[in-house]
mmCIF file of all heavy atoms in Angstrom:
data_model
loop_
_atom_site.group_PDB
_atom_site.id
_atom_site.type_symbol
_atom_site.label_atom_id
_atom_site.label_comp_id
_atom_site.label_asym_id
_atom_site.label_seq_id
_atom_site.Cartn_x
_atom_site.Cartn_y
_atom_site.Cartn_z
ATOM 1 N N GLN A 1 92.101 59.494 105.899
ATOM 2 C CA GLN A 1 91.054 60.206 105.178
ATOM 3 C C GLN A 1 89.674 59.923 105.757
ATOM 4 O O GLN A 1 88.824 60.814 105.847
ATOM 5 C CB GLN A 1 91.111 59.842 103.694
ATOM 6 C CG GLN A 1 92.320 60.426 102.972
ATOM 7 C CD GLN A 1 92.366 60.024 101.508
ATOM 8 O OE1 GLN A 1 92.519 58.851 101.186
ATOM 9 N NE2 GLN A 1 92.225 60.999 100.634
ATOM 10 N N ALA A 2 89.444 58.675 106.166
ATOM 11 C CA ALA A 2 88.142 58.318 106.721
ATOM 12 C C ALA A 2 87.880 59.026 108.047
ATOM 13 O O ALA A 2 86.759 59.470 108.313
ATOM 14 C CB ALA A 2 88.047 56.805 106.910
ATOM 15 N N VAL A 3 88.905 59.131 108.887
ATOM 16 C CA VAL A 3 88.743 59.811 110.171
ATOM 17 C C VAL A 3 88.555 61.310 109.959
ATOM 18 O O VAL A 3 87.726 61.954 110.602
ATOM 19 C CB VAL A 3 89.938 59.512 111.095
ATOM 20 C CG1 VAL A 3 89.866 60.354 112.375
ATOM 21 C CG2 VAL A 3 89.974 58.034 111.452
ATOM 22 N N GLY A 4 89.379 61.867 109.066
ATOM 23 C CA GLY A 4 89.201 63.260 108.703
ATOM 24 C C GLY A 4 89.756 64.281 109.676
ATOM 25 O O GLY A 4 89.527 65.473 109.525
ATOM 26 N N ALA A 5 90.501 63.842 110.678
ATOM 27 C CA ALA A 5 91.093 64.777 111.637
ATOM 28 C C ALA A 5 92.364 65.387 111.037
ATOM 29 O O ALA A 5 93.241 64.651 110.573
ATOM 30 C CB ALA A 5 91.425 64.055 112.938
ATOM 31 N N PRO A 6 92.508 66.698 111.047
ATOM 32 C CA PRO A 6 93.681 67.315 110.423
ATOM 33 C C PRO A 6 94.998 66.976 111.107
ATOM 34 O O PRO A 6 96.064 67.107 110.501
ATOM 35 C CB PRO A 6 93.382 68.818 110.495
ATOM 36 C CG PRO A 6 92.374 68.965 111.587
ATOM 37 C CD PRO A 6 91.561 67.709 111.567
ATOM 38 N N ASN A 7 94.933 66.545 112.362
ATOM 39 C CA ASN A 7 96.158 66.203 113.088
ATOM 40 C C ASN A 7 96.414 64.699 113.122
ATOM 41 O O ASN A 7 97.262 64.230 113.891
ATOM 42 C CB ASN A 7 96.110 66.758 114.510
ATOM 43 C CG ASN A 7 94.990 66.135 115.341
ATOM 44 O OD1 ASN A 7 93.936 65.776 114.814
ATOM 45 N ND2 ASN A 7 95.219 66.005 116.643
ATOM 46 N N LEU A 8 95.713 63.924 112.302
ATOM 47 C CA LEU A 8 95.978 62.493 112.169
ATOM 48 C C LEU A 8 96.831 62.279 110.925
ATOM 49 O O LEU A 8 96.452 62.702 109.825
ATOM 50 C CB LEU A 8 94.677 61.707 112.060
ATOM 51 C CG LEU A 8 94.824 60.183 111.906
ATOM 52 C CD1 LEU A 8 95.492 59.572 113.136
ATOM 53 C CD2 LEU A 8 93.463 59.531 111.663
ATOM 54 N N GLN A 9 98.001 61.636 111.101
ATOM 55 C CA GLN A 9 98.955 61.489 110.010
ATOM 56 C C GLN A 9 99.505 60.067 109.971
ATOM 57 O O GLN A 9 99.261 59.255 110.862
ATOM 58 C CB GLN A 9 100.100 62.498 110.176
ATOM 59 C CG GLN A 9 99.654 63.951 110.151
ATOM 60 C CD GLN A 9 100.809 64.899 110.397
ATOM 61 O OE1 GLN A 9 101.608 64.721 111.314
ATOM 62 N NE2 GLN A 9 100.912 65.926 109.560
ATOM 63 N N VAL A 10 100.274 59.802 108.922
ATOM 64 C CA VAL A 10 100.863 58.482 108.716
ATOM 65 C C VAL A 10 102.347 58.521 109.079
ATOM 66 O O VAL A 10 103.072 59.453 108.715
ATOM 67 C CB VAL A 10 100.703 58.035 107.250
ATOM 68 C CG1 VAL A 10 101.433 56.701 107.009
ATOM 69 C CG2 VAL A 10 99.221 57.896 106.898
ATOM 70 N N GLN A 11 102.764 57.505 109.782
ATOM 71 C CA GLN A 11 104.177 57.270 110.077
ATOM 72 C C GLN A 11 104.693 56.298 109.010
ATOM 73 O O GLN A 11 104.328 55.122 109.008
ATOM 74 C CB GLN A 11 104.306 56.672 111.482
ATOM 75 C CG GLN A 11 105.711 56.480 111.991
ATOM 76 C CD GLN A 11 105.694 56.159 113.477
ATOM 77 O OE1 GLN A 11 105.110 56.889 114.277
ATOM 78 N NE2 GLN A 11 106.306 55.054 113.858
ATOM 79 N N PHE A 12 105.502 56.786 108.115
ATOM 80 C CA PHE A 12 105.938 56.047 106.926
ATOM 81 C C PHE A 12 107.295 55.416 107.231
ATOM 82 O O PHE A 12 108.325 56.081 107.189
ATOM 83 C CB PHE A 12 106.029 57.008 105.739
ATOM 84 C CG PHE A 12 106.242 56.369 104.388
ATOM 85 C CD1 PHE A 12 105.687 56.953 103.262
ATOM 86 C CD2 PHE A 12 106.986 55.221 104.212
ATOM 87 C CE1 PHE A 12 105.878 56.404 101.992
ATOM 88 C CE2 PHE A 12 107.187 54.653 102.968
ATOM 89 C CZ PHE A 12 106.622 55.254 101.856
ATOM 90 N N ASP A 13 107.285 54.135 107.538
ATOM 91 C CA ASP A 13 108.514 53.393 107.832
ATOM 92 C C ASP A 13 108.939 52.662 106.568
ATOM 93 O O ASP A 13 108.257 51.756 106.097
ATOM 94 C CB ASP A 13 108.256 52.415 108.979
ATOM 95 C CG ASP A 13 109.527 51.777 109.501
ATOM 96 O OD1 ASP A 13 110.353 51.328 108.668
ATOM 97 O OD2 ASP A 13 109.701 51.701 110.726
ATOM 98 N N LEU A 14 110.089 53.054 106.025
ATOM 99 C CA LEU A 14 110.542 52.497 104.752
ATOM 100 C C LEU A 14 110.866 51.012 104.878
ATOM 101 O O LEU A 14 110.716 50.257 103.906
ATOM 102 C CB LEU A 14 111.760 53.268 104.238
ATOM 103 C CG LEU A 14 111.468 54.570 103.471
ATOM 104 C CD1 LEU A 14 110.732 55.594 104.339
ATOM 105 C CD2 LEU A 14 112.762 55.175 102.931
ATOM 106 N N TYR A 15 111.302 50.587 106.052
ATOM 107 C CA TYR A 15 111.586 49.171 106.304
ATOM 108 C C TYR A 15 110.321 48.333 106.158
ATOM 109 O O TYR A 15 110.283 47.343 105.415
ATOM 110 C CB TYR A 15 112.196 49.047 107.705
ATOM 111 C CG TYR A 15 112.205 47.659 108.303
ATOM 112 C CD1 TYR A 15 113.186 46.738 107.961
ATOM 113 C CD2 TYR A 15 111.245 47.296 109.253
ATOM 114 C CE1 TYR A 15 113.199 45.470 108.539
ATOM 115 C CE2 TYR A 15 111.260 46.037 109.835
ATOM 116 C CZ TYR A 15 112.239 45.128 109.477
ATOM 117 O OH TYR A 15 112.252 43.880 110.044
ATOM 118 N N HIS A 16 109.260 48.723 106.838
ATOM 119 C CA HIS A 16 108.008 47.971 106.748
ATOM 120 C C HIS A 16 107.438 48.026 105.327
ATOM 121 O O HIS A 16 106.899 47.029 104.829
ATOM 122 C CB HIS A 16 106.986 48.535 107.736
ATOM 123 C CG HIS A 16 107.353 48.336 109.170
ATOM 124 N ND1 HIS A 16 107.622 47.097 109.704
ATOM 125 C CD2 HIS A 16 107.497 49.233 110.188
ATOM 126 C CE1 HIS A 16 107.905 47.226 110.992
ATOM 127 N NE2 HIS A 16 107.837 48.509 111.304
ATOM 128 N N CYS A 17 107.537 49.187 104.711
ATOM 129 C CA CYS A 17 106.990 49.346 103.354
ATOM 130 C C CYS A 17 107.683 48.423 102.371
ATOM 131 O O CYS A 17 107.024 47.790 101.527
ATOM 132 C CB CYS A 17 107.118 50.802 102.920
ATOM 133 S SG CYS A 17 106.380 51.169 101.312
ATOM 134 N N GLN A 18 108.991 48.322 102.456
ATOM 135 C CA GLN A 18 109.721 47.449 101.533
ATOM 136 C C GLN A 18 109.312 45.989 101.712
ATOM 137 O O GLN A 18 109.116 45.265 100.736
ATOM 138 C CB GLN A 18 111.220 47.606 101.749
ATOM 139 C CG GLN A 18 112.096 46.598 101.012
ATOM 140 C CD GLN A 18 112.050 46.731 99.496
ATOM 141 O OE1 GLN A 18 111.440 47.656 98.963
ATOM 142 N NE2 GLN A 18 112.689 45.808 98.803
ATOM 143 N N ILE A 19 109.154 45.549 102.944
ATOM 144 C CA ILE A 19 108.810 44.149 103.194
ATOM 145 C C ILE A 19 107.405 43.833 102.685
ATOM 146 O O ILE A 19 107.166 42.776 102.095
ATOM 147 C CB ILE A 19 108.940 43.833 104.697
ATOM 148 C CG1 ILE A 19 110.409 43.902 105.127
ATOM 149 C CG2 ILE A 19 108.362 42.457 105.019
ATOM 150 C CD1 ILE A 19 110.631 43.805 106.616
ATOM 151 N N MET A 20 106.471 44.735 102.896
ATOM 152 C CA MET A 20 105.082 44.464 102.542
ATOM 153 C C MET A 20 104.741 44.801 101.095
ATOM 154 O O MET A 20 103.876 44.161 100.493
ATOM 155 C CB MET A 20 104.139 45.254 103.464
ATOM 156 C CG MET A 20 104.180 44.821 104.905
ATOM 157 S SD MET A 20 103.760 43.069 105.165
ATOM 158 C CE MET A 20 102.049 43.040 104.645
ATOM 159 N N GLU A 21 105.400 45.836 100.531
ATOM 160 C CA GLU A 21 104.942 46.353 99.249
ATOM 161 C C GLU A 21 106.043 46.599 98.226
ATOM 162 O O GLU A 21 105.829 46.393 97.034
ATOM 163 C CB GLU A 21 104.216 47.684 99.468
ATOM 164 C CG GLU A 21 103.107 47.631 100.500
ATOM 165 C CD GLU A 21 102.490 48.997 100.699
ATOM 166 O OE1 GLU A 21 101.789 49.470 99.775
ATOM 167 O OE2 GLU A 21 102.722 49.601 101.769
ATOM 168 N N GLY A 22 107.200 47.096 98.677
ATOM 169 C CA GLY A 22 108.210 47.530 97.731
ATOM 170 C C GLY A 22 107.802 48.831 97.049
ATOM 171 O O GLY A 22 106.896 49.531 97.504
ATOM 172 N N ASP A 23 108.487 49.154 95.951
ATOM 173 C CA ASP A 23 108.177 50.373 95.188
ATOM 174 C C ASP A 23 108.199 51.594 96.100
ATOM 175 O O ASP A 23 107.332 52.475 96.037
ATOM 176 C CB ASP A 23 106.809 50.217 94.512
ATOM 177 C CG ASP A 23 106.648 51.104 93.285
ATOM 178 O OD1 ASP A 23 107.681 51.581 92.758
ATOM 179 O OD2 ASP A 23 105.504 51.319 92.859
ATOM 180 N N VAL A 24 109.215 51.655 96.963
ATOM 181 C CA VAL A 24 109.231 52.629 98.049
ATOM 182 C C VAL A 24 109.346 54.061 97.529
ATOM 183 O O VAL A 24 108.629 54.964 97.994
ATOM 184 C CB VAL A 24 110.379 52.312 99.030
ATOM 185 C CG1 VAL A 24 110.470 53.360 100.112
ATOM 186 C CG2 VAL A 24 110.176 50.923 99.647
#
């Protein structure tokens, strides 16, 4: 959101998300 480029996106890795945050 801060960069604001329409072609900038997030790569959502469920493995990393579970280790760091959970609530996937």
